[in-house]
Amino acid sequence: MSLSYASTVPRHLVHRRSPADVLLTDFETVDGTHRAAVQLPTSHRTFAPVRRTHDSLMVAEALRQAVSLFCHVDHGVPIDHVVLIEHFRFDILEPLSVDDIDDSLVAESVTYDVSYASDRMDELTLSARLLNGTHVVASGTATVRPIDPEMFSQHRTPTMADPHFRHLPAGTEVVPAAIVGRLDPADVVLARHTSDGTLVVAPDPRNMALFDHTTEYLPGVTMLEAARQALRLTTGIRELDFISLEVTFTGFAEWGNPCSVTVDGESDGVHQIRFEHDASLLSAMSVRATSEPWLAVTERSSR
């Protein structure tokens, strides 16, 4: 079967409201290998290509959507379940130029570990890779736990975001956009305590590029962007972008109780970033980043 790039997959399979935010266009499973056609946008409010190279977080989002899709269509996860990715890793192996992709981007995934509890799937682990034609340009793994609505409600007290304003804890102010590599303050997801400089995750729910639908908790891509902005702020290098990232989520980041974010330093090129709620670890990330241009000087655009 040849994968089609003519239209998107049903949006509910990737948990997006707007068809414009669906990055997958077709899918199939052959001999245990899941394959999904991927189309990355050539423009985006928050994750726009820079130097005509796709943003690393668009690659991460494409892999996340593929994981969600195959959980539903191949592993029977009901649509009303939260697809919690407890552990996620991706590596950018080769830059993705917006000029070199012509209906040839495919996410391939293989499920290699599934566990069950009470006769229903409790957890599964998938390996994935992103191919541009025959070239592997990114790879990753994800460990997923489906959470049914009843369990979800038992473990959380929903704190829905007010879609009309940004929630800022007392004594904090939004970090200036320029120092985290952004032009618009609405794209900044960090606030800083004026007393001690402590950072908290405080995105603007009016930014529909980050939140195409109102959610009770902060989506994973928002947390990844918070990590990137914190790294840019800490290092003073606003052009930093991820070339690899490994993250573990132990809970949900709540709107009504902003979590703190700390960059612990760097060792052998790896930065450690922590998110905490009330002194309890919420998420831990290990990242590699670069500020170097992906493309040769003669190939760069004026952007």
Side-chain angles (χ1 to χ4, degrees):
M1 173 180 174
S2 178
L3 293 172
S4 171
Y5 294 81
S7 60
T8 65
V9 302
R11 57 191 178 174
H12 61 275
L13 293 176
V14 295
H15 295 264
R16 304 301 288 174
R17 186 181 72 173
S18 171
D21 291 316
V22 178
L23 305 181
L24 309 183
T25 62
D26 198 6
F27 60 91
E28 65 179 357
T29 298
V30 179
D31 297 330
T33 298
H34 318 303
R35 302 177 71 245
V38 178
Q39 273 196 337
L40 299 181
T42 54
S43 63
H44 191 273
R45 156 68 185 273
T46 304
F47 305 127
V50 176
R51 305 184 187 98
R52 302 188 70 82
T53 299
H54 285 291
D55 190 293
S56 69
L57 293 189
M58 291 307 298
V59 175
E61 173 63 7
L63 293 175
R64 182 208 66 81
Q65 290 192 15
V67 168
S68 173
L69 171 77
F70 292 121
C71 279
H72 292 307
V73 301
D74 281 298
H75 295 288
V77 175
I79 294 297
D80 64 352
H81 282 40
V82 172
V83 180
L84 173 62
I85 298 181
E86 295 183 315
H87 180 269
F88 180 63
R89 177 184 177 91
F90 77 89
D91 296 273
I92 306 293
L93 306 177
E94 184 177 305
L96 278 173
S97 168
V98 298
D99 301 307
D100 296 336
I101 299 173
D102 184 18
D103 290 353
S104 60
L105 204 58
V106 174
E108 284 191 350
S109 175
V110 175
T111 303
Y112 63 88
D113 192 15
V114 182
S115 62
Y116 294 86
S118 302
D119 296 326
R120 65 180 179 181
M121 188 180 65
D122 179 60
E123 186 177 85
L124 73 156
T125 301
L126 307 94
S127 64
R129 60 181 190 167
L130 194 63
L131 296 97
N132 183 17
T134 59
H135 299 288
V136 179
V137 295
S139 64
T141 60
T143 299
V144 178
R145 184 180 301 278
I147 302 178
D148 64 45
E150 181 179 357
M151 182 180 298
F152 183 75
S153 64
Q154 289 175 353
H155 285 80
R156 294 186 57 254
T157 301
T159 53
M160 187 74 75
D162 187 321
H164 301 102
F165 73 99
R166 186 196 301 254
H167 175 70
L168 292 174
T172 67
E173 58 185 18
V174 177
V175 170
I179 62 177
V180 292
R182 292 300 176 196
L183 298 176
D184 190 334
D187 292 332
V188 178
V189 299
L190 298 179
R192 180 167 51 186
H193 282 275
T194 56
S195 58
D196 59 7
T198 302
L199 295 173
V200 296
V201 183
D204 191 335
R206 294 166 294 187
N207 184 340
M208 299 302 289
L210 286 175
F211 311 104
D212 82 327
H213 59 286
T214 303
T215 60
E216 298 175 353
Y217 56 90
L218 300 184
V221 70
T222 303
M223 302 298 288
L224 299 188
E225 174 62 8
R228 182 163 63 177
Q229 291 186 18
L231 187 59
R232 289 172 173 175
L233 178 62
T234 302
T235 62
I237 306 173
R238 64 182 186 178
E239 299 87 4
L240 282 179
D241 193 15
F242 297 138
I243 53 176
S244 71
L245 181 145
E246 185 168 9
V247 56
T248 299
F249 292 107
T250 59
F252 296 95
E254 308 288 354
W255 282 98
N257 182 17
C259 61
S260 64
V261 54
T262 305
V263 179
D264 286 333
E266 178 265 339
S267 177
D268 295 328
V270 178
H271 300 266
Q272 304 295 331
I273 303 173
R274 291 181 294 111
F275 294 83
E276 294 182 344
H277 262 322
D278 301 326
S280 296
L281 185 66
L282 177 69
S283 176
M285 301 186 190
S286 299
V287 305
R288 290 183 182 272
T290 182
S291 61
E292 294 299 317
W294 282 113
L295 301 179
V297 175
T298 56
E299 296 177 272
R300 293 185 210 165
S301 72
S302 59
R303 179 171 174 151

